[in-house]
Amino acid sequence: SCSNIVPLGFRTQNISITEFGGVGDGRTLNTRAFREAIYRVQHLPRVGGTLLYVPPGVYLTEPFNLTSHMTLFLAAGAVIMATQDSSNWPLIAPLPSYGRGRELPGGRYMSFMHGDGVQDVVITGENGTIDGQGDAWWNKWRQGSLQFTRPNLVEFVNSRDIIISNVVFKNSPFWNIHPVYSSNVVVRFVTILAPRDSPNTDGIDPDSSSNVCIEDSYISTGDDLVAVKSGWDEYGIAYGLPSSNITIRRVSGSSPFAGIAIGSETSGGVENVLAEHINLYKMGIGIHIKTNSGRGGFIKNITVSHVYMEDARKGIRISGDVGDHPDDKFDPNALPIVKGVTMKNVWGVKVLQAGLIQGVKNSPFSDICLYDINLGGTPPWKCSDVSGFAHQVSPWPCSELSSNHQ
């Protein structure tokens, strides 16, 4: 386990949301209760910090900000539920590494639970639920009536020493857990759920962040289960903050998109990623590394091992033609570098196509190494603009991957 990258201290003060007028009847709006409780934590600090206890019940609320040195603890049977009335939902500036909202130009809706510049924050409990009630947002997206980018369920910006554990995340309007420009982040023992047809409900998206540990979790959503990102085209290149030292271990789940993904927004660079002991079912793509011309940046030193996938459209895809652009100001000559990708001990059952590796012309992918991979009797691999090594791969991959041990 890498979970000890964030020490878990003892909170010296406990308060309950009911002390601030919180009512868990599923109808009463508890926005004021949450904001007053967190104001108390922020402005009456205690050595060691404060735990905010949410007892069993359904607590309807608008979005709220988290603060440093606090634990949000959801008891068994506790649900913090987002209101579906977006009229009072705050708008915030776009992330500088994206230059605009991810879906639409301009700003974006604040995440349901938001931390900006905070440290030592824990969201945990007895498997209580954080419910984004995202179907109203999904319908707006389908109807094309959104004015701004949908909110994430939980986002930490410019933050450090974050622990998220033993909580169920459900029906996020957009991405579920999004640490961005952050460091020392642990997500473990979580369950993340959304319907397969829910748009862009990524599970966990470390973004221009370092020392992130994702372990022992189940994710079943409408988009990538885990997607490592680092900014979008010219904005990500200018911001220049890579994602690095990311560990993903003992994660299982299901999605019509990818299980473990890197990209496609990787303009700040992604390096030193380890994903191991991954179990995937009913997948679009098991493992997907994705970038595009105009992205720039780099993807290097990636290791994926001990993956089992069952019922997948494609086993492994490493592609240089995926993802859209924020505007027409991107530089088409900003070519990504993909180098040093190792995949080993991958087993697939009912995989329709084994693999596709499509590099970028004038920037071929290099040092792509495949070891001990069995994806059944599926059609052969397709490759272009790639070099590397293969050993004991079935079906045998493309000729661009040499079997020469050198």
Side-chain angles (χ1 to χ4, degrees), residues 164-378:
I164 302 173
S165 72
N166 301 91
V167 174
V168 177
F169 296 87
K170 182 179 176 184
N171 295 333
S172 175
F174 195 53
W175 301 345
N176 277 269
I177 299 174
H178 186 219
V180 57
Y181 318 145
S182 296
S183 62
N184 299 350
V185 179
V186 172
V187 182
R188 63 194 307 237
F189 302 125
V190 301
T191 302
I192 302 176
L193 303 173
R196 286 181 71 87
D197 64 349
S198 57
N200 308 106
T201 50
D202 295 28
I204 306 168
D205 287 4
D207 197 342
S208 293
S209 293
S210 60
N211 299 331
V212 178
C213 180
I214 300 165
E215 290 183 334
D216 300 297
S217 295
Y218 177 81
I219 308 171
S220 179
T221 61
D223 212 311
D224 299 341
L225 305 186
V226 178
V228 183
K229 303 175 181 290
S230 68
W232 201 9
D233 285 12
E234 69 270 25
Y235 304 105
I237 294 170
Y239 199 76
L241 184 60
S243 277
S244 62
N245 304 331
I246 313 288
T247 302
I248 306 157
R249 183 183 285 124
R250 296 183 300 276
V251 170
S252 60
S254 175
S255 167
F257 286 87
I260 302 299
I262 295 175
S264 69
E265 307 91 333
T266 55
S267 300
V270 174
E271 61 184 345
N272 305 338
V273 177
L274 170 65
E276 62 182 5
H277 301 289
I278 309 297
N279 290 285
L280 306 170
Y281 306 88
K282 294 185 179 179
M283 297 303 305
I285 302 172
I287 306 160
H288 195 184
I289 296 174
K290 44 186 172 174
T291 184
N292 207 339
S293 298
R295 284 284 191 268
F298 56 83
I299 299 171
K300 60 185 182 181
N301 194 19
I302 312 297
T303 302
V304 181
S305 73
H306 295 90
V307 178
Y308 174 81
M309 64 183 78
E310 183 175 311
D311 192 5
R313 190 177 72 250
K314 190 178 272 86
I316 295 170
R317 183 178 183 188
I318 307 174
S319 45
D321 63 345
V322 174
D324 53 352
H325 302 285
D327 50 40
D328 59 4
K329 298 175 185 176
F330 72 94
D331 178 4
N333 295 316
L335 302 181
I337 296 171
V338 177
K339 181 176 183 179
V341 177
T342 298
M343 298 191 187
K344 56 187 179 180
N345 300 112
V346 179
W347 185 271
V349 176
K350 294 193 291 185
V351 178
L352 293 181
Q353 183 184 7
L356 170 69
I357 307 177
Q358 183 177 358
V360 176
K361 192 175 182 180
N362 299 323
S363 184
F365 299 169
S366 61
D367 295 343
I368 309 298
C369 298
L370 309 178
Y371 298 85
D372 300 331
I373 295 176
N374 189 326
L375 295 172
T378 52

Side-chain angles (χ1 to χ4, degrees), residues 46-64:
R46 295 292 186 269
V47 175
T50 299
L51 181 147
L52 173 57
Y53 178 77
V54 182
V58 179
Y59 297 83
L60 185 69
T61 177
E62 294 171 327
F64 56 88

